[in-house]
Amino acid sequence: MDLSYTPEEEEFRARLREWLAKVLPGLPPKPSPDDWPGRRAYDLGWQRMLYDAGYAGLHWPADAGGRGATPTQHLIFLEETENAGAPYVGANFVGLLHAGPTIAAEGSAGQRARWLPPVLRGEEVWCQGFSEPDAGSDLAALRTRARRDGDDYVVSGSKIWTSHAEVADWCELLVRTDAKAPKHRGISWLAMPMDAPGITVRPLRTLAGSTEFAEVFLDDVRVPVANRVGEENDGWRVTMVTLSFERGTAFVGEVVACRRVLGELAREARKNGRWDDVPLRRRLGRLNAEFRALWRLTQWNVSESERSGGVPGVGGSVFKLRYSRARQDLYDAAADVLGPEALDLDSRWTLDRLSSLSYTIAAGTSQIQRNIVAERILGLPKER
């Protein structure tokens, strides 16, 4: 494990900082959280700016449209953009962080040429069609069926928690193509166009009042067989690649954001007199150590990723498991520091605290992460 930065990486950091300082002041105001067409346009606009400047798909392979940068350079990019207050990937996150890297790793040359450049240029948005109402956290229990009919699959079923489905052009979709196979087999990974006949999208409102995801109902939707990534019935293996990206790097920028929030809380506590509360001060100190450790774990995971060809390993589950809890602890501490202000429904603190509750569920529940750590890292027997 090498946690130091090379002179070339520090030069990359300096150039990125210079570019961010130049372009961020000229960005338009962020649209309202409820204005999804506006949010899509804003997020795609930022992605196009990154593309034109050569920062889109940094760590993607050059033959996938990226720059072929190292995972460490990607880590620097995430750290610097978050510290500078640059826009988050927003509606682009499934395409950039999950589907795109999966297609880059597992797709054919034709699939890479078709789907990756529009993601990098900020032209197409993807959503994730994995979870189902009756499957819970057991992704392998999915029931959405795909029947082969000539050059198409005919897909029927439903998905839930489908992120950004209301503004997506494509969906990374898991379907069961062999109902008789054991549940971890018989699954295929499809790219489904969201304008295909038979698709109904019903947005779901979160505890915070936003509609970040939706239910999606599929009624005999025809998806070309050519849109399958990987072999038929090999979708579980392809999905593990997707989830390794989702858990390995998707939350990196948020660790940086949490460290910044912690600094804000410490300053506020000094200002409002709460800093004299020794147990609270100790609590903030522990959180500081926690997020510093998570950042080091991120660097370790990136170092491992560089040795394994760019695909994150199961260490991402360790990170995801601990980060989910630490984020909730952070916003619990914020409530103690801020007092009644933390209950203001219009406050960003309140919205962020409500949002933090979802992290023990999103990208695989904490129970699932514990099973992965137990079985694949510690070598314990599989749960029966």
Side-chain angles (χ1 to χ4, degrees):
M1 178 174 62
D2 184 4
L3 301 182
S4 62
Y5 295 109
T6 66
E8 293 78 14
E9 289 164 347
E10 292 294 1
E11 181 183 353
F12 169 79
R13 185 193 300 274
R15 290 198 306 271
L16 175 59
R17 282 182 178 176
E18 182 181 359
W19 180 78
L20 290 168
K22 182 174 65 175
V23 302
L24 290 180
L27 289 181
K30 291 184 179 180
S32 164
D34 293 328
D35 179 10
W36 270 105
R39 289 177 64 177
R40 174 189 160 109
Y42 183 88
D43 295 339
L44 291 178
W46 172 244
Q47 181 61 28
R48 182 69 199 203
M49 291 178 67
L50 292 173
Y51 178 82
D52 290 341
Y55 290 116
L58 270 178
H59 62 306
W60 289 19
D63 62 357
R67 287 183 54 176
T70 66
T72 299
Q73 286 177 311
H74 183 225
L75 188 66
I76 292 171
F77 171 81
L78 294 172
E79 182 181 17
E80 292 300 323
T81 52
E82 181 61 44
N83 280 332
Y88 182 57
V89 290
N92 294 313
F93 92 89
V94 174
L96 286 169
L97 306 182
H98 307 169
T102 302
I103 294 168
E106 298 289 336
S108 66
Q111 290 171 337
R112 288 151 67 102
R114 165 60 189 90
W115 288 315
L116 299 184
V119 170
L120 294 180
R121 291 194 298 259
E123 295 171 355
E124 292 181 344
V125 170
W126 284 66
C127 63
Q128 186 180 64
F130 281 18
S131 299
E132 296 186 3
D134 295 326
S137 298
D138 186 2
L139 190 58
L142 65 90
R143 298 181 182 179
T144 295
R145 300 283 295 274
R147 171 177 55 85
R148 183 75 175 263
D149 182 23
D151 293 333
D152 292 335
Y153 289 109
V154 181
V155 183
S156 295
S158 66
K159 297 290 179 177
I160 199 167
W161 317 129
T162 307
S163 301
H164 303 321
E166 59 267 58
V167 293
D169 303 292
W170 293 89
C171 177
E172 54 172 353
L173 184 72
L174 291 187
V175 296
R176 187 162 295 284
T177 42
D178 185 350
K180 297 180 180 179
K183 69 176 186 177
H184 286 85
R185 301 173 186 170
I187 294 173
S188 297
W189 197 107
L190 305 180
M192 180 179 70
M194 289 297 289
D195 61 355
I199 299 176
T200 301
V201 176
R202 183 184 298 163
L204 295 169
R205 192 163 296 277
T206 70
L207 182 65
S210 61
T211 55
E212 306 290 330
F213 36 62
E215 291 182 282
V216 177
F217 300 92
L218 309 169
D219 185 13
D220 289 342
V221 179
R222 300 189 77 89
V223 179
V225 173
N227 288 16
R228 186 189 68 232
V229 174
E231 297 298 321
E232 185 171 282
N233 299 327
D234 192 32
W236 183 255
R237 184 191 62 80
V238 178
T239 301
M240 292 303 101
V241 174
T242 303
L243 295 179
S244 70
F245 284 111
E246 184 177 25
R247 295 161 185 168
T249 57
F251 296 106
V252 170
E254 297 192 34
V255 174
V256 180
C258 286
R259 293 178 71 180
R260 187 182 68 247
V261 167
L262 188 59
E264 293 178 26
L265 288 177
R267 288 189 292 273
E268 178 61 27
R270 289 186 177 97
K271 187 169 64 176
N272 67 15
R274 295 288 287 140
W275 193 251
D276 295 333
D277 185 331
V278 175
L280 176 63
R281 200 162 66 237
R282 184 182 298 117
R283 186 178 182 185
L284 295 178
R286 182 187 60 77
L287 282 167
N288 181 52
E290 184 99 44
F291 284 111
R292 286 172 64 88
L294 281 167
W295 184 249
R296 288 303 190 186
L297 177 58
T298 296
Q299 291 178 301
W300 185 86
N301 285 337
V302 166
S303 183
E304 285 289 289
S305 176
E306 290 195 48
R307 285 195 287 270
S308 65
V311 177
V314 293
S317 288
V318 178
F319 170 86
K320 167 61 172 56
L321 181 62
R322 191 54 227 169
Y323 170 72
S324 299
R325 186 65 257 174
R327 184 181 175 93
Q328 291 186 17
D329 291 344
L330 172 65
Y331 284 98
D332 283 348
D336 284 348
V337 171
L338 299 171
E341 182 186 344
L343 300 177
D344 183 354
L345 294 179
D346 294 325
S347 166
R348 71 176 179 90
W349 295 101
T350 304
L351 295 177
D352 286 345
R353 190 182 188 197
L354 293 175
S355 174
S356 74
L357 301 176
S358 70
Y359 279 73
T360 49
I361 300 173
T365 66
S366 292
Q367 290 87 347
I368 293 295
Q369 307 305 330
R370 291 188 184 96
N371 282 348
I372 292 172
V373 170
E375 295 169 9
R376 302 185 194 175
I377 296 179
L378 301 179
L380 297 177
K382 287 183 178 288
E383 183 180 38
R384 297 185 180 276

